[in-house]
Amino acid sequence: MAMSNRPIYMDNQATTPVDPRVLEAMLPYFGERFVNAASRNHQFGWDAEEAVDNARKQVAALINAHPKEIVFTSGATESDNLALKGVAEMYGQKGDHIITCVTEHKAIIDSAKHLEKQGVRVTFLPVERNGLIDLDDLERAITDKTILISIMTANNEVGVVQDIREIGRIARERGVLFHTDAVQAVGKIPFDVQAMNVDIASLSAHKMYGPKGVGALYVRRRNPRVLLTPIIDGGGHERGMRSGTLNVPGIVGFGRAAELSMNELEDESRRLGALRDRLLARLREKLDEIYINGDMERRIPGNLNISFAYVEGESLLMGIDDVAVSSGSACTSASLEPSYVLKALGVGEDLAHTSIRFGLGRFNTEDEVDYVADKVTGTVQRLRELSPLYEMVKEGIDLSTVNWTAD
Amino acid sequence: MAYSDKVVDHYNNPRNVGSLDKGQDDVGTGLVGAPECGDVMKLQIQVDDRSGVIEDAKFKTFGCGSAIASSSLATEWVKGKTVDEALEIKNTDIVKELSLPPVKIHCSVLAEDAIKAAISDWKAKHPAEASAETAG
């Protein structure tokens, strides 16, 4: 097995590799099919438009939407920006209050903060220890000035899945638009904008084995009809909501990726869930004091976020350098702050520094899972031998009683 | 982030890992940092009472690779030095030796603090020697 010389990629919540079948679909559009999909006066343009329309159908089908409700963007960050800023500006007369949550992706949090500076009031709902919002908190936060609720479907760090159906029901009942950043969920778990009463949803191609640089915003056309003020002005593409020449190869790839995810969702989620459980079981076999971050039941199948107490995350990553995973440790982030998501879950900073996110995906195998589990186990054991904290705990010292010197 | 070869070497083969008996009279223990900050270093020295020479040093560190390397290097450097010589070790020397990037400078600061803390613990156990050395 060539495992020792080929690194193992297990960071599929960060991005996913492009499926070879997706690449195959895209290639002609870099070559002979190069044309602008908005060129409506010749055969070349019609072909490109047809390819885009086909992709639009494929993406729409995955979330049970109408193709006309899909607005292609440059990615989910743009989609999130368009959703929040577009609603705030379009519905500014109706109200000035938005509700979101503390564990959202930065694209939502920072868009909301941008709006706050412009006078929009934003409620950031807290989450419970398991990562889920309290629906009573949500109900209480809604006022007659609330124009948007934006709650992510699945979290990118801990993988927990919010009760989108219930949130959608509440939003519909109270006459508030509901946006969800569904990037980590779509293609991984069933997601149906009709059944869930979702009005706006952000999607990304590269989290579902498609290319980077392409995303979409689902914008409901009926009951209610949602209108957004564009954040990019220009030629009026995408029903006027997103100007700019369409990324035809990217969109074709996105469509194919959506189609594959839809066809394979059931088998894949079962397989990834089993791999995830196998990984956890194998880690637990030999390691004590490992803690799962986020709800284990309401979770996308490919995610496992674990704190390995007394072992700092970056040093653990260094010991498993042929495995690509990510850490919530401050040392791995530019900000030198540990993960704000884990903090919001009430995970202490000491444990946040020891967290690792395993992101299993379509191309991970059972052999890889076993290899990673064993490698992590060995490294954690070695680093615990090196850890003064582990030693102190084994001596019976309660770390919370120690008078630490903050640096 | 790419680590320097020396950091990788200390991480893979840390020198002087372990613990000395902190209750022993000739052992000084420094425990610096905090779990919430992601770095805790325990550095211990065993000092010859007569010469003031550090005969042995051990460490354990919870922290990133650079923190582990900084403390591992610190134990190497203090061994064979007198306590006063060891006090001369500066964090910038560690930064230079390990080629630490700016975001990892705090690791070297912590290692220097750990040396100082261990020495001051030892001195607290030996008021006479400590003052004699300062005088000498």
Side-chain angles (χ1 to χ4, degrees), chain B residues 44-93:
Chain B
Q44 294 182 300
I45 51 171
Q46 188 162 25
V47 184
D48 180 76
D49 285 352
R50 248 166 290 170
S51 60
V53 169
I54 298 170
E55 294 186 313
D56 199 5
K58 296 278 182 202
F59 87 97
K60 284 201 175 191
T61 289
F62 162 82
C64 64
S66 303
I68 291 169
S70 296
S71 38
S72 169
L73 178 67
T75 58
E76 263 192 328
W77 278 359
V78 298
K79 267 192 183 182
K81 286 192 168 70
T82 65
V83 286
D84 282 354
E85 284 166 353
L87 283 171
E88 299 293 309
I89 297 170
K90 294 277 169 290
N91 82 291
T92 46
D93 305 331

Side-chain angles (χ1 to χ4, degrees), chain A residues 168-232:
Chain A
R169 188 190 61 75
I170 292 166
R172 184 59 50 90
E173 215 171 80
R174 304 286 293 267
V176 178
L177 291 178
F178 174 36
H179 165 255
T180 183
D181 177 335
V183 166
Q184 297 287 348
V186 168
K188 317 287 164 60
I189 54 172
F191 184 84
D192 180 327
V193 291
Q194 301 307 335
M196 294 171 167
N197 286 322
V198 170
D199 297 314
I200 313 168
S202 301
L203 318 180
S204 170
H206 79 96
K207 308 281 192 194
M208 53 168 102
Y209 312 96
K212 291 164 186 60
V214 196
L217 191 65
Y218 158 76
V219 185
R220 181 177 285 280
R221 219 164 46 119
R222 273 200 202 107
N223 307 316
R225 177 182 179 79
V226 179
L227 298 169
L228 299 177
T229 304
I231 53 175
I232 297 176

